[in-house]
Amino acid sequence: MSRSRPPAPLPDDLPDAVRVLLTELRGLKEASGHDLRALERRTHASRSSWSRWLGGETPIPRSAVTALARVCGADRHRLEALWEVADHARASASSATADAAPGAVSETAPETADAAPETAEALPADEREPAGDTVGRPEPVAPTTPEEPLSAREPAPSPAARKRVPRGLLIGAAVGCTFVSGAAGVLLGTTLHTNAQEPASDGGRQAAAPARSTHAPARTVYRHDVIARAESWHPRTRQRVPYGQAASYQGYRADGSGYAAMALGLPAPGPNSASLLASYCDRVPPARLGAGDLVVNATGDAGTREVMIFDRWTGRARAAFWVYQQRRGYGTDHLVRPARLTGDGRHVACHPRGLRDDPVG
């Protein structure tokens, strides 16, 4: 196992699906004990490329995800599915940014090997490389937008013509552009807010949007909401969701961690149990467990790991508790588990970040 310090947090502006993918890939790297030098030896990418990819500085290609799965012995198909979701989220975020500022032109010069030093803070110090190592650095890509034909461009005004423009007119034009831009921004924000709140009134004739999960990712969720989401998979009934690590329901994996991710409103298809425990929860004493908290066993192989959604204690003695669980060989279940389970050294009581107590009244 690598003895390096944990990697720095990912950038705050990453889409949730990209954050899930990178969190899982970083967890695989740490669990396997491989550092950047080992990844460079066992793949066709350099340390600098792996540093940028795992640090969230540049998008990681699908081939690198496949290579990391092979090196770490992980499920290639599942990681590639996570990459597909992350790539779609990244493209949607880029499109939304472009739509919000259609006339914006970046004044930043293109990144070059000499002008852009490596940002290695996202990974342990002993895994960083010298700033001059640019092996595997992706070449800058030229803009693909075709330029306007030269014949269509207007000739630049002569110096004499520019001198004839009154200064007061220039100042008035600048102030007018600023006012119009601000008004357009307010109008655009108001329109987007209104469209987000009002249902479509075209009788369902609008263009079909890409299929999305019925549970939107939520950064803040209340305890009663988690239990309500857990009940939506019909535990302990004939309509329960069958268990399956390769199957999905409502966009989430039909296993224990996917079920918990759905209940908490995390991005689909959901992180695995190790990532759930490492990146989305804080450990708490078992006595502090409340509705919506988790009991996670992230050790062992796929046949021993499990995630349970805590419901309530069976009595004042707290000898056992009710949980919701996507159980192997059965599916969505609501059952009683003994409290001594949290003392076996494998099962961990944890509080999801963003989970809040129900509001009073």
Side-chain angles (χ1 to χ4, degrees), residues 236 308 312 314 319-323 333-339:
R236 212 166 184 80
M308 293 166 276
R312 65 185 186 276
T314 57
F321 45 74
W322 284 93
V323 296
D333 200 358
H334 188 215
L335 68 159
V336 174
R337 301 297 297 269

Side-chain angles (χ1 to χ4, degrees), residues 53 167 197:
W53 293 337
R167 182 176 181 181
Q197 290 181 338

Side-chain angles (χ1 to χ4, degrees), residues 2 9 38 56 79 128 161 287:
S2 174
L79 291 179
R128 300 177 196 164

Side-chain angles (χ1 to χ4, degrees), residues 21 62 65 76-86 269:
L21 172 66
R62 179 173 181 154
V65 173
R76 174 175 65 87
H77 300 289
R78 180 175 175 278
L79 291 179
E80 289 176 349
L82 287 177
W83 181 89
E84 293 283 355
V85 176

Side-chain angles (χ1 to χ4, degrees), residues 192-205:
L192 293 177
H193 178 72
T194 303
N195 291 342
Q197 290 181 338
E198 295 181 356
S201 58
D202 58 357
R205 294 188 298 273

Side-chain angles (χ1 to χ4, degrees), residues 175-199:
V175 173
C177 290
T178 303
F179 175 78
V180 172
S181 300
V186 173
L187 178 60
L188 176 59
T190 304
T191 303
L192 293 177
H193 178 72
T194 303
N195 291 342
Q197 290 181 338
E198 295 181 356

